[in-house]
Amino acid sequence: GGTDFQRVDIVELIDPLVRTYVSPDRPDKMLFLDGVQQSTLYGEAEYHEALVHPAMFTHPNPRRVAIIGGGEGATLREVLKHNTVEEVVMV
């Protein structure tokens, strides 16, 4: 799928040896934009937490935040966990 500007692929992780989900109790999916992995259904939270929170905790009073290339919004989700944030612009 996709648009005129971007190819979007969502794939489910399957174990090729047994032809079933890698984790049957919690099937995982991956998002690719133009062939580049962007995130997974499970496990992406840790990545975005490590990306966002060190900068947010280092700043004494983060009120206005700019997110450049925010993808599916996981960075935004983590930024909005900080109650000092009044405005976020994502482009």
Side-chain angles (χ1 to χ4, degrees), residues 10-69:
I10 299 175
V11 298
E12 293 181 325
L13 299 179
I14 303 288
D15 185 332
L17 298 177
V18 292
R19 296 178 188 253
T20 186
Y21 293 113
V22 172
S23 177
D25 58 323
R26 198 169 82 163
D28 202 359
K29 296 181 181 182
M30 298 175 77
L31 169 68
F32 290 84
L33 300 178
D34 294 328
V36 178
Q37 180 186 343
Q38 301 297 310
S39 68
T40 61
L41 185 60
Y42 300 105
E44 60 75 31
E46 293 84 0
Y47 169 81
H48 287 92
E49 288 171 355
L51 180 74
V52 170
H53 296 298
M56 296 296 290
F57 288 129
T58 300
H59 193 286
N61 188 27
R63 294 182 301 115
R64 297 171 51 215
V65 178
I67 300 172
I68 310 301

